[in-house]
């Protein structure tokens, strides 16, 4: 009857009010998300730079979303799409879009559009196929009376049958349809331009300070370059350069062996496989001092490493062993030497019948986190250290001509990419246009070509980063996906 129908609707309204009156504190939310943070924390992806970078940036956006949820009177929520690489040993079934790699993690993408901490926490855990049982044991308190009152005064949420019977539009369904609409570049820029400009203006004095410090230190120490492994903020980078400057003043004698070298601020101290001086940002001056004192020994090990690469090259028909910083994990010189030595011993024992110099002109990199060899768009072979020698021989022979063709196209592609970056920078009056290491040259070229077909006055004076997702960084850099719509 109609009376029963109304009673059913009122019961649902009361139940909704009770559920909405429950909330989590910020501390409770952090505790509830511990399994999630453990599964996606960037520190566990040290050997996977692309996945680490994706998780770092997604965590920044997630933290911003959670912070907004806790601001009193904040109502302007927009659906936020996130992608995380989740560590796990065995694939679990899930309703979200997933893809598994051979490295013990999977990619998970989901969209947040909830307006309270409890629902958001549950959405995150469910999306990543993580247990939510521990959430029930948390202290979930009632909201203050004032907030509860405002909850009761919210518009009535009718049963679905009400909309079917009356023909009225269901506002919840309309909201879901709006959220399903894919974000476009123009709409995103329109929504985020003001925030980016505000952050960029605030960072400009620090950017000038960073450039000054970098030039002064590089000149004083006669360094080739100063770099950063990760996308730390400008203030953080300035602090690191100030620390190095203080060390130079305190112990100038220990810096005599750095001439012509590159210093990289990273997670740990040592020398990298590429021969760069690594300064761990969490280490104190005492650790940095020891690294500078050990440089002569590092240079001796580097010579042994180059000799080992030559021996591997001789066993593989003259193919050159290279290390590409942008594509490989940042490993220490010692770790890379051990990897090369192990691979060399395996090749030497297998006695593969490569004709001397038959593969001269080709290139290869060694990777410890792959199980099958592949060929990169730039023409170099990507060879797993665990690869079976016989399978390796067959793969190199089968792909040798394609590798040579790719190497020829490499220079053309890099020139095209550089020209498109310069043209786009000038066309949109950008202060800077760059890409993340995980974005390939082919993707960057496609992105720039499509950008040049658009009219984008929003970008004047901005720093634009081509990435895999939309984001505004803390210093005002705009990140857009290379395959934007």
């Amino acid at each position: 009857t109609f009376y029963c129908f109304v009673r059913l609707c009122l019961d649902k309204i009361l139940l909704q009010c009770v559920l909405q009156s429950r909330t989590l504190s910020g501390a409770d939310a952090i505790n509830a998300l511990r399994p999630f943070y453990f599964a996606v924390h960037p520190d566990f992806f040290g050997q996977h730079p692309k996945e680490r970078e994706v998780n770092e940036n997604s965590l920044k956006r997630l933290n911003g979303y959670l912070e907004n949820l806790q601001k009193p009177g904040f109502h302007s929520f927009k659906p936020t799409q996130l992608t995380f690489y989740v560590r796990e040993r065995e694939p679990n079934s899930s309703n979200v879009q997933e893809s598994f790699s051979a490295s013990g993690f999977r990619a998970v993408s989901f969209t947040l559009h909830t307006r309270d901490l409890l629902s958001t926490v549950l959405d995150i855990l469910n999306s990543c196929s993580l247990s939510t049982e521990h959430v029930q044991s948390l202290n979930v308190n009632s909201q203050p009376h004032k907030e509860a009152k405002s909850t009761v005064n919210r518009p009535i949420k009718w049963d679905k049958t009400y909309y079917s019977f009356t023909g009225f539009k269901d506002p919840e369904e309309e909201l879901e349809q709006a959220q399903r609409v894919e974000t476009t570049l123009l709409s995103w820029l329109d929504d985020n331009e003001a925030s980016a400009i505000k952050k960029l203006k605030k960072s400009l004095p620090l950017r000038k300070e960073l450039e000054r410090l970098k030039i002064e230190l590089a000149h004083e120490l006669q360094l080739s370059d100063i770099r950063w492994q990760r996308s730390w903020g400008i203030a953080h980078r300035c602090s690191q350069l100030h620390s190095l400057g203080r060390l130079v003043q305190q112990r100038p004698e220990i810096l005599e062996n750095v001439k012509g070298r590159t210093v990289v601020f990273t997670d740990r101290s040592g020398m990298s496989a590429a021969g760069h001086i690594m300064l761990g940002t969490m280490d104190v001056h005492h650790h940095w001092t020891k690294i500078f004192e050990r440089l002569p020994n590092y240079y001796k090990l580097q010579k042994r490493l180059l000799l080992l690469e030559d021996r591997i090259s001789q066993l593989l028909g003259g193919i050159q062993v290279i290390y590409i910083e942008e594509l490989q994990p940042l490993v220490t010189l010692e770790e890379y030497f051990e990897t090369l030595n192990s691979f060399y011993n395996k090749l030497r024992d297998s006695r593969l019948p490569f004709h001397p110099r038959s593969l001269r002109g080709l290139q290869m990199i060694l990777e410890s986190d792959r199980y099958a060899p592949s060929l990169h768009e730039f023409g170099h072979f990507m060879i797993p250290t665990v690869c079976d020698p016989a399978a390796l021989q067959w793969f190199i022979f089968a792909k040798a001509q394609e590798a040579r063709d790719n190497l020829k196209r490499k220079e053309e592609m890099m020139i095209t990419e550089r020209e498109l970056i310069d043209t786009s920078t000038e066309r949109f009056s950008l202060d800077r246009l760059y890409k993340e290491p995980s974005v390939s040259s082919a993707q960057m070229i496609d992105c720039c070509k499509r950008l040049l077909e658009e009219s984008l006055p929003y970008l004047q004076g901005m720093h634009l980063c081509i990435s895999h997702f939309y984001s505004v960084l803390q210093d005002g850099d705009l990140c857009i996906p290379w395959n934007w719509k």
Side-chain angles (χ1 to χ4, degrees):
T1 65
F2 181 75
Y3 172 78
C4 292
F5 173 77
V6 172
R7 179 61 183 269
L8 175 63
C9 291
L10 290 174
D11 287 345
K12 290 179 70 66
I13 293 168
L14 291 173
L15 177 60
Q16 186 71 15
C17 290
V18 171
L19 289 174
Q20 289 177 338
S21 69
R22 303 173 74 224
T23 183
L24 283 183
S25 68
D28 286 337
I30 292 174
N31 286 330
L33 287 174
R34 284 187 186 280
F36 165 75
Y37 287 129
F38 183 77
V40 304
H41 199 283
D43 286 351
F44 293 110
F45 290 80
Q47 299 299 312
H48 308 280
K50 173 190 170 184
E51 290 77 10
R52 176 181 187 135
E53 192 167 9
V54 169
N55 282 12
E56 280 181 349
N57 287 286
S58 292
L59 279 174
K60 289 178 186 176
R61 300 173 67 211
L62 172 60
N63 290 337
Y65 189 93
L66 295 176
E67 286 175 8
N68 284 336
L69 284 177
Q70 298 174 67
K71 292 179 181 177
F74 190 88
H75 301 296
S76 179
F77 284 93
K78 294 172 184 175
T80 299
Q81 185 172 5
L82 299 172
T83 297
F84 284 100
Y85 287 92
V86 182
R87 298 188 306 129
E88 68 172 17
R89 292 183 180 177
E90 295 181 0
N92 294 327
S93 59
S94 174
N95 294 326
V96 297
Q97 179 184 350
E98 299 177 351
S99 62
F100 292 91
S101 74
S103 303
F105 51 78
R106 58 194 168 96
V108 177
S109 296
F110 56 90
T111 302
L112 291 178
H113 47 75
T114 46
R115 293 172 178 264
D116 64 274
L117 280 174
L118 178 58
S119 300
T120 303
V121 166
L122 292 174
D123 268 8
I124 294 170
L125 294 174
N126 286 325
S127 296
C128 296
S129 304
L130 298 171
S131 173
T132 60
E133 293 180 5
H134 63 288
V135 180
Q136 308 302 325
S137 63
L138 293 173
N139 247 336
V140 181
N141 303 318
S142 296
Q143 292 180 343
H145 176 71
K146 184 178 180 181
E147 292 186 13
K149 183 178 179 181
S150 64
T151 302
V152 175
N153 290 332
R154 289 179 182 174
I156 294 175
K157 181 180 177 183
W158 294 103
D159 189 270
K160 298 291 182 184
T161 53
Y162 167 78
Y163 300 104
S164 302
F165 181 77
T166 62
F168 294 144
K169 292 183 178 180
D170 183 348
E172 195 174 70
E173 285 188 3
E174 285 188 323
L175 177 62
E176 289 176 358
Q177 288 176 3
Q179 290 167 349
R180 284 195 294 267
V181 175
E182 193 169 12
T183 302
T184 65
L185 176 61
L186 288 174
S187 65
W188 186 83
L189 288 174
D190 190 45
D191 291 339
N192 293 275
E193 177 194 15
S195 170
I197 290 176
K198 183 179 179 181
K199 291 180 178 179
L200 181 60
K201 286 182 177 178
K202 187 178 179 181
S203 73
L204 288 179
L206 275 176
R207 289 179 186 270
K208 291 180 181 178
E209 174 72 0
L210 177 66
E211 191 63 24
R212 182 188 67 80
L213 289 170
K214 184 177 176 181
I215 292 173
E216 287 182 0
L217 273 174
H219 176 73
E220 184 175 359
L221 301 178
Q222 300 184 57
L223 296 172
S224 174
D225 195 9
I226 298 176
R227 301 178 191 169
W228 285 265
Q229 177 200 4
R230 293 160 59 187
S231 53
W232 283 297
I234 305 297
H236 196 169
R237 296 187 182 201
C238 285
S239 175
Q240 291 158 3
L241 290 183
H242 279 300
S243 293
L244 180 57
R246 285 193 297 271
L247 180 60
V248 172
Q249 292 175 355
Q250 295 167 6
R251 298 287 303 277
E253 75 282 357
I254 64 171
L255 302 172
E256 296 174 354
N257 297 310
V258 302
K259 183 179 179 180
R261 294 284 169 170
T262 292
V263 167
V264 182
F265 289 98
T266 180
D267 293 327
R268 52 180 174 163
S269 299
M271 178 168 278
S272 73
H276 302 327
I277 301 167
M278 302 192 304
L279 300 180
T281 57
M282 300 302 291
D283 292 339
V284 295
H285 283 182
H286 173 69
H287 294 101
W288 289 6
T289 300
K290 283 192 172 183
I291 295 303
F292 288 119
E293 289 174 345
R294 291 177 191 159
L295 286 179
N297 291 330
Y298 279 126
Y299 297 153
K300 290 178 183 177
L301 180 60
Q302 190 177 24
K303 289 181 180 178
R304 292 176 57 197
L305 185 146
L306 293 174
L307 181 61
L308 200 51
E309 287 180 339
D310 287 340
R311 289 176 177 173
I312 293 174
S313 177
Q314 292 170 10
L315 292 176
L316 292 178
I319 190 169
Q320 182 185 7
V321 183
I322 60 175
Y323 179 86
I324 304 178
E325 238 182 329
E326 295 79 11
L327 299 178
Q328 294 179 260
L330 192 63
V331 297
T332 65
L333 195 68
E334 298 96 327
E335 291 170 341
Y336 190 52
F337 181 86
E338 289 301 320
T339 298
L340 286 173
N341 193 45
S342 174
F343 186 72
Y344 168 71
N345 291 331
K346 182 188 292 187
L347 286 178
R348 184 188 57 189
D349 296 340
S350 64
R351 300 178 182 276
L352 292 178
F354 280 99
H355 190 278
R357 297 184 295 279
S358 60
L359 299 177
R360 197 172 181 180
L362 297 181
Q363 299 174 336
M364 62 167 277
I365 65 175
L366 277 176
E367 296 197 326
S368 58
D369 60 343
R370 287 178 179 264
Y371 296 94
S374 62
L375 181 63
H376 193 268
E377 63 173 346
F378 279 171
H380 58 264
F381 289 96
M382 304 170 76
I383 306 300
T385 54
V386 296
C387 187
D388 175 65
L392 170 63
Q393 179 188 14
W394 177 87
F395 183 82
I396 291 178
F397 280 152
K399 296 286 186 177
Q401 187 55 49
E402 185 181 348
R404 295 186 190 280
D405 294 339
N406 285 4
L407 281 170
K408 288 180 181 178
R409 285 197 300 269
K410 173 183 176 181
E411 291 302 321
E412 297 175 5
M413 187 178 292
M414 293 186 73
I415 291 172
T416 301
E417 181 183 7
R418 186 67 259 167
E419 288 176 346
L420 284 169
I421 289 175
D422 291 342
T423 303
S424 300
T425 302
E426 183 179 354
R427 163 78 181 278
F428 301 115
S429 300
L430 288 164
D431 195 68
R432 186 188 178 203
L433 173 59
Y434 63 104
K435 68 173 185 176
E436 290 182 350
S438 54
V439 176
S440 70
S441 289
Q443 291 170 339
M444 188 66 174
I445 289 171
D446 175 71
C447 176
C448 289
K449 283 182 177 179
R450 293 190 299 113
L451 279 175
L452 289 169
E453 296 174 357
E454 301 291 327
S455 175
L456 302 170
Y458 312 89
L459 299 180
Q460 186 173 353
M462 301 303 294
H463 292 242
L464 182 63
C465 174
I466 307 305
S467 175
H468 296 276
F469 45 78
Y470 288 103
S471 178
V472 177
L473 301 184
Q474 60 183 345
D475 293 305
D477 294 47
L478 289 166
C479 290
I480 65 170
W482 70 269
N483 57 344
W484 54 270
K485 305 297 182 184

